[in-house]
Amino acid sequence: MLSLNQKEKIEKFIKSYLESFTFYKKDLCWCYEDGVVLNGVYHMYEATKDSYYLNYLINHFEKCISEDGKIKTYDPDERNIDNVEEAYTLFKLNQIHHQEKYDKALESIKYQLSIMPRTESGSFWHKNVYPYQIWLDGLYMGMPIYALFANQNDNLEQKRDILNQFKNVDKYNYNPENNSYMHCYDETKSMQWADKITGQSPNVWLRSVGWLGMASCDVYEVFKATSYHLQALYLNKFLRKVLDSLKPHQDPKTKLYYDLVLLSNQQGNYIETSGSLMVAYSYLKGARLKMLDNKDNKDVEEGISMLSSIIDNYIEGDKLNNVCKVSGLDNKKRNGSVEYYLSEEVCSNDAKACGPLMMAYSEYLTYEKTK
């Protein structure tokens, strides 16, 4: 269990971070980075029922959504799956603090999902500029909100579609030779980073696998109490496979993972906190939802040990350190090489780490209540 000092340290950091957070991108008030932070805030509200977190969400969305339900700086016709992620928290907030303008805003997200281009295998493209590609990141960006809509409408076809997109990741992004999920898959096998036989990118990037673990937990939670529960049990085996793919590469000292998971001895590689926090969340939530067998409480303990290590080693005052700012793949600089990934900026307090920190901690608090 976390000590009192650890809890005080993380809670002080969370409040300090939120007080200084506005919008991740100054010229945008709607992006997935904001959504990840807001998802963390929502989880903290669920775990604590502290009105501070609820009011934080309301105040944020008031700045983003006009009275007619238009989401400022958002265009569904961009067909960018990243742009629907923030709607997950809006949907959850709307269940607590219902607003007609929220309903209208969510309709525009539904519209985008209905027009998303797809691979031949049926998965959403990541973006228009990344045609015929499946990114692990995209499962977290699109599937949880898609599941909420599908459940709201009790749409069996959409529920099947969601599971199929996870199955496609298992079919096309999973590499049985190294028992790992590769960051991207190119159906055309034409991108500079794509293997000409498998279409896969060449490296295992921690945060992409973290997105995948979180996506499976959040989607299963939506389907768990529905008539689609038995079919959704597929996600239990999927989550275990994702977590087991990482386990052999865990750093024995910190209990965390390197940015390039398989290359712990590579010069310039480093323990990366955002992806490690996502993995901690996946263990804790997966155990709570009984997605994992949690024999002898091992999965909960795994998640807690990772969260504890982050608090002790990587939170320094008002900073959460060792965060990979961004990584991706294209036909320019981002060629999927080891050199490329390790050339990206390592920073502090990025939304992609601070959101999962709140998510993982909220799962810990929920577990603590049961004790």
Side-chain angles (χ1 to χ4, degrees):
M1 302 294 283
L2 297 182
S3 70
L4 181 60
N5 286 341
Q6 286 177 312
K7 291 175 64 178
E8 289 176 348
K9 183 178 182 180
I10 193 172
E11 289 173 10
K12 183 178 179 181
F13 170 80
I14 289 170
K15 289 291 179 71
S16 171
Y17 175 77
L18 291 178
E19 289 303 315
S20 63
F21 184 80
T22 51
F23 294 108
Y24 188 83
K25 298 175 181 176
K26 292 182 180 179
D27 57 340
L28 293 176
C29 74
W30 189 269
C31 64
Y32 84 87
E33 292 93 345
D34 288 353
V36 173
V37 171
L38 297 174
N39 201 2
V41 174
Y42 170 75
H43 279 73
M44 287 298 295
Y45 173 70
E46 280 285 278
T48 66
K49 300 304 179 186
D50 185 340
S51 61
Y52 169 85
Y53 298 107
L54 180 61
N55 290 332
Y56 192 94
L57 294 175
I58 294 170
N59 291 336
H60 185 96
F61 284 115
E62 283 298 311
K63 300 171 186 175
C64 298
I65 301 172
S66 61
E67 288 304 313
D68 62 0
K70 182 176 177 57
I71 302 172
K72 301 171 186 176
T73 73
Y74 165 68
D75 180 4
D77 289 317
E78 286 184 10
R79 294 171 170 84
N80 179 345
I81 200 63
D82 288 345
N83 291 345
V84 306
E85 192 280 334
E86 190 168 344
Y88 177 85
T89 306
L90 179 62
F91 187 103
K92 292 289 191 178
L93 176 62
N94 200 30
Q95 293 179 315
I96 304 167
H97 178 72
H98 180 256
Q99 300 285 307
E100 286 188 14
K101 62 182 179 180
Y102 294 172
D103 293 336
K104 294 175 182 177
L106 289 167
E107 285 299 318
S108 65
I109 302 295
K110 283 185 186 178
Y111 168 71
Q112 180 184 329
L113 289 172
S114 74
I115 63 170
M116 283 297 296
R118 294 175 182 257
T119 64
E120 293 296 326
S121 60
S123 292
F124 293 146
W125 292 4
H126 196 67
K127 301 179 184 180
N128 267 350
V129 295
Y130 301 139
Y132 299 100
Q133 294 172 32
I134 302 174
W135 293 41
L136 300 186
D137 319 33
L139 275 289
Y140 182 78
M141 302 303 158
M143 294 304 109
I145 181 58
Y146 190 16
L148 288 171
F149 288 145
N151 193 50
Q152 183 183 47
N153 302 325
D154 196 22
N155 189 314
L156 183 59
E157 182 180 352
Q158 291 180 345
K159 292 175 183 179
R160 288 172 177 161
D161 182 22
I162 291 163
L163 282 193
N164 182 61
Q165 297 200 43
F166 280 94
K167 291 175 182 178
N168 279 345
V169 161
D170 211 30
K171 183 176 182 179
Y172 298 112
N173 293 70
Y174 178 73
N175 184 343
E177 293 185 5
N178 58 21
N179 186 34
S180 297
Y181 287 91
M182 313 311 288
H183 189 179
C184 293
Y185 164 73
D186 171 24
E187 197 170 56
T188 69
K189 303 178 177 64
S190 62
M191 297 296 288
Q192 64 169 336
W193 47 262
D195 184 279
K196 300 311 176 187
I197 297 175
T198 67
Q200 295 174 350
S201 58
N203 280 293
V204 180
W205 181 48
L206 175 61
R207 189 155 72 222
S208 69
V209 186
W211 290 127
L212 191 60
M214 295 204 302
S216 60
C217 291
D218 290 356
V219 169
Y220 181 75
E221 184 176 40
V222 175
F223 291 154
K224 186 175 188 290
T226 73
S227 59
Y228 203 62
H229 172 248
L230 291 179
Q231 294 90 329
L233 289 174
Y234 165 80
L235 293 171
N236 297 11
K237 292 184 289 185
F238 181 85
L239 175 62
R240 176 56 75 189
K241 186 175 178 180
V242 170
L243 295 176
D244 284 353
S245 76
L246 295 170
K247 187 63 177 172
H249 311 288
Q250 187 178 36
D251 177 56
K253 181 179 179 181
T254 65
K255 307 301 182 185
L256 306 175
Y257 292 92
Y258 283 80
D259 187 54
L260 291 178
V261 176
L262 307 187
L263 304 173
S264 59
N265 295 322
Q266 174 70 40
Q267 184 176 0
N269 204 2
Y270 58 96
I271 294 293
E272 203 282 323
T273 54
S274 71
S276 293
L277 285 162
M278 292 175 182
V279 175
Y281 171 80
S282 299
Y283 271 110
L284 290 165
K285 188 167 187 174
R288 175 171 65 83
L289 296 178
K290 295 182 170 52
M291 297 178 72
L292 305 173
D293 53 29
N294 197 32
K295 187 177 180 181
D296 298 325
N297 226 32
K298 64 174 183 175
D299 293 307
V300 168
E301 290 175 358
E302 185 75 19
I304 293 174
S305 70
M306 295 179 71
L307 181 59
S308 176
S309 180
I310 295 279
I311 296 169
D312 289 343
N313 299 304
Y314 296 100
I315 294 180
E316 296 180 343
D318 60 357
K319 288 185 177 181
L320 171 56
N321 298 318
N322 277 49
V323 188
C324 174
K325 190 171 182 66
V326 67
S327 288
L329 294 156
D330 56 32
N331 266 343
K332 298 177 182 177
K333 171 191 172 184
R334 307 196 301 177
N335 63 6
S337 67
V338 170
E339 293 74 20
Y340 157 67
Y341 279 104
L342 298 182
S343 73
E344 289 287 11
E345 179 183 350
V346 183
C347 65
S348 300
N349 286 10
D350 191 87
K352 298 178 285 290
C354 296
L357 177 75
M358 289 184 274
M359 295 180 213
Y361 183 56
S362 69
E363 285 294 332
Y364 169 79
L365 292 176
T366 302
Y367 171 72
E368 189 180 54
K369 290 177 183 177
T370 68
K371 302 295 286 184

